[in-house]
Amino acid sequence: MSLVNRPRRLRLTPAIRRLVRETTLQPADLIYPLFVRHGAGLRLPIDSMPGQAQLTIDLLADEAREISRLGVLAVILFGVPAQKDAIGSDNFHDDGIVPSAIRAIKKAAPDLLVISDMCFCEYTDHGHCGLVNRPGHERYNPQLPAGYLLNDATLELLGRASVAHARAGSDIIAPSGMLDGMVAAIRAALDAEGFAHTAIMSYAAKAASVFYGPFRDAAESPPGFGDRAQYQIDPANRREAQKEIALDIEQGADMLLIKPALPSLDIIRDARESCHLPLAAYQVSGEYAMLRAAAAMGWLGLRDAALESLISIKRAGADMIISYFAKDVANWLESS
Ligand code: PBG
């Protein structure tokens, strides 16, 4: 039979398939998340995220050098402080857990880029991403419901904490709390303190997703009451994600981040087509845990399932991906 169009011609051999491959993945595309905790000499495995651990600062030098050697260009830091309080003060002290970790990493591996996840949920005793409206507290606003995350009061704290992280050597501040005006507030605070060259990667479109569940164990940051639906986007909303992205661009974001990744491929694609900023996606803890769990049951091959997920996220339009598989991928690609 004469068929003019035979797409299978280009699938005939491994070489021709490789030749026409549209999307590729390399260690430099990936960003590795690190959970940093207080204490010494500890690598505490995270039960719901097999293969991941909380590390103490003294173990970061070796870890940073290994990540750098693997060709991964950046890490994103999450802190688990010794003390939590109502305003998350560990996050803006120069000797807080993350500023200390940044200095340790920069000393051991100066070229490894450090991204600060900029949020308060790991530092507040109530586990919300900033100051909460509580009767009797200094910033209490009776017009807003008790328990409401106070927007503008939290922006001041985000500015202070961003400056503390920048002073410690953070290259990129990544605000993840989904507060209105957070990018502009952080930009102004950084510029006022002489950190005009510290970049902002905004979690522009972050859904109120159930897939962050394992992370909240890892970072010891589950909300003590309620949920995050008053600040994170309803996963049902695509246009709203585009609006959030436009607002963060207007406010001066240098790069955008979308999460979760696999459940948000349409949003990643929309962002890729509507703007020219570098675009990151976060393959979150639940996405990682699902693959690990299915692989542990023998239902999926871990390597191929992880690689296919990551390639799909890149194909949708992400330039880079934050992934708990970053080190595994680098090792897999090295040995293939
Ligand atoms: C902080 C933050 C969260 C994640 C990244 N930054 C948790 C949340 O919003 O509840 C989730 C990352 C993951 O699940 O891997 N706000």
Side-chain angles (χ1 to χ4, degrees):
M1 185 165 97
S2 169
L3 254 186
V4 176
N5 283 308
R6 284 188 189 273
R8 291 186 57 204
R9 284 181 200 124
L10 302 186
R11 296 180 201 138
L12 199 59
T13 63
I16 200 162
R17 291 197 292 272
R18 180 71 190 81
L19 186 70
V20 301
R21 183 171 300 151
E22 299 173 35
T23 312
T24 56
L25 189 68
Q26 45 195 8
D29 300 327
L30 302 174
I31 298 166
Y32 189 59
L34 284 176
F35 296 97
V36 190
R37 62 167 293 117
H38 58 95
L42 295 173
R43 176 182 285 270
L44 291 184
I46 299 163
D47 289 347
S48 51
M49 299 174 68
Q52 308 302 313
Q54 295 179 343
L55 300 183
T56 51
I57 289 178
D58 53 322
L59 303 186
L60 286 177
D62 283 349
E63 181 76 18
R65 282 190 285 260
E66 187 201 343
I67 292 165
S68 222
R69 187 194 63 73
L70 286 168
V72 172
L73 301 177
V75 291
I76 182 164
L77 297 185
F78 299 96
V80 184
Q83 305 279 350
K84 303 194 187 217
D85 58 29
I87 59 169
S89 50
D90 189 273
N91 201 17
F92 49 77
H93 284 156
D94 286 328
D95 56 359
I97 187 80
V98 168
S100 308
I102 295 167
R103 288 191 295 270
I105 292 171
K106 282 290 172 188
K107 195 166 162 216
D111 293 334
L112 186 63
L113 294 165
V114 173
I115 306 175
S116 291
D117 179 89
M118 182 47 61
C119 194
F120 276 91
C121 57
E122 298 122 68
Y123 306 93
T124 51
D125 48 18
H126 45 68
H128 279 284
C129 300
L131 284 182
V132 158
N133 202 30
R134 288 203 266 204
H137 281 225
E138 199 187 322
R139 309 297 286 257
Y140 179 62
N141 180 344
Q143 287 165 0
L144 295 170
Y148 189 78
L149 186 72
L150 292 170
N151 197 85
D152 300 9
T154 300
L155 295 183
E156 292 168 35
L157 294 182
L158 285 172
R160 276 179 72 183
S162 299
V163 168
H165 289 217
R167 196 182 291 125
S170 181
D171 300 286
I172 301 171
I173 305 293
S176 64
M178 292 302 291
L179 280 99
D180 295 340
M182 66 184 183
V183 173
I186 290 173
R187 184 73 272 153
L190 289 171
D191 290 358
E193 296 294 326
F195 296 106
H197 290 90
T198 305
I200 298 178
M201 173 195 273
S202 181
Y203 283 67
K206 173 170 177 177
S209 170
V210 74
F211 293 110
Y212 312 147
F215 171 96
R216 293 176 187 167
D217 294 343
E220 302 177 15
S221 64
F225 57 87
D227 55 31
R228 305 206 199 291
Q230 13 140 322
Y231 38 104
Q232 300 177 347
I233 306 176
D234 183 338
N237 292 357
R238 177 175 172 186
R239 292 190 304 266
E240 188 183 351
Q242 293 313 296
K243 176 176 161 187
E244 285 279 5
I245 286 165
L247 289 174
D248 284 11
I249 295 172
E250 259 172 55
Q251 289 173 44
D254 300 290
M255 303 186 233
L256 300 174
L257 177 53
I258 291 168
K259 75 186 259 197
L262 219 47
S264 312
L265 296 182
D266 55 334
I267 291 167
I268 296 172
R269 174 50 42 189
D270 286 343
R272 181 65 295 147
E273 284 171 8
S274 68
C275 82
H276 299 294
L277 296 189
L279 192 60
Y282 197 146
Q283 182 188 47
V284 299
S285 55
E287 297 177 71
Y288 175 80
M290 285 195 294
L291 292 177
R292 293 295 305 218
M297 296 297 286
W299 296 338
L300 280 177
L302 186 65
R303 177 184 184 279
D304 291 346
L307 291 175
E308 184 178 326
S309 305
L310 291 164
I311 271 290
S312 304
I313 295 162
K314 272 202 82 183
R315 191 199 62 231
D319 301 303
M320 55 195 121
I321 307 170
I322 303 178
S323 173
Y324 301 99
F325 288 114
K327 283 166 64 181
D328 295 326
V329 168
N331 283 311
W332 292 329
L333 297 178
E334 220 169 59
S335 60
S336 69

